[in-house]
Amino acid sequence: MSRENTNNVLEINDLYVEYRTRDSVVKAVNGLELSIKKGKALGLVGETGAGKTTTGLAVLGLVPDPPGVVTGGQIILRGEEILGRDAKYLRSIRGKKVSMIFRIR
Ligand SMILES: Nc1ncnc2c1ncn2[C@@H]1O[C@H](COP(=O)(O)OP(=O)(O)OP(=O)(O)O)[C@@H](O)[C@H]1O
Ligand SMILES: [Mg+2]
């Protein structure tokens, strides 16, 4: 498992996510880079469809597949690579090391 900068709670490197539907491919996240240091907060701002929710889902390993596919990049959460990990590992960290608060419209 890669251990990158240990001051970072989260590090996303060159992340690509797409949704492959029957008649199109939506490139939802394209080469995203970000990092969050311990004790810091980061806000993601962007127009509707910019890929904010998809980014959050990717960190939780919850991009719906199909139609969603993470096609490249690295997501390092507390020193552990997230991408490619099995469902059991991802379940074990959700709600403990990483959570998502869904917006109520
Ligand atoms: N399940 C899906 N199937 C196909 N396309 C999807 C799916 N989910 C998201 N998309 C597409 O991926 C792109 C990114 O969507 P996403 O929901 O991540 O954006 P967002 O920045 O959270 O938008 P919003 O501000 O409206 O919440 C959009 O073009 C969206 O239509
Ligand atoms: Mg959203």
Side-chain angles (χ1 to χ4, degrees):
M1 247 11 67
S2 56
R3 286 209 159 253
E4 307 283 307
N5 183 346
T6 48
N7 287 325
N8 288 333
V9 172
L10 178 67
E11 219 175 292
I12 298 182
N13 300 316
D14 207 23
L15 182 68
Y16 287 81
V17 184
E18 59 190 42
Y19 292 98
R20 298 171 179 168
T21 63
R22 207 165 42 159
D23 32 38
S24 72
V25 175
V26 177
K27 294 188 178 298
V29 178
N30 299 286
L32 179 74
E33 307 268 348
L34 65 79
S35 60
I36 306 176
K37 285 195 166 48
K38 265 181 202 158
K40 299 289 184 185
L42 177 77
L44 278 186
V45 180
E47 63 190 26
T48 184
K52 304 177 296 291
T53 295
T54 300
T55 298
L57 290 173
V59 173
L60 288 139
L62 285 178
V63 172
D65 173 14
V69 187
V70 177
T71 55
Q74 251 190 335
I75 299 176
I76 298 157
L77 180 73
R78 298 173 191 272
E80 297 269 359
E81 174 65 66
I82 291 297
L83 297 177
R85 301 302 292 269
D86 62 17
K88 187 178 173 194
Y89 174 77
L90 293 171
R91 271 198 305 274
S92 78
I93 62 167
R94 283 189 211 120
K96 297 190 180 78
K97 290 187 174 181
V98 61
S99 301
M100 187 166 189
I101 300 164
F102 291 92
R103 177 175 55 171
I104 300 167
R105 289 186 198 249

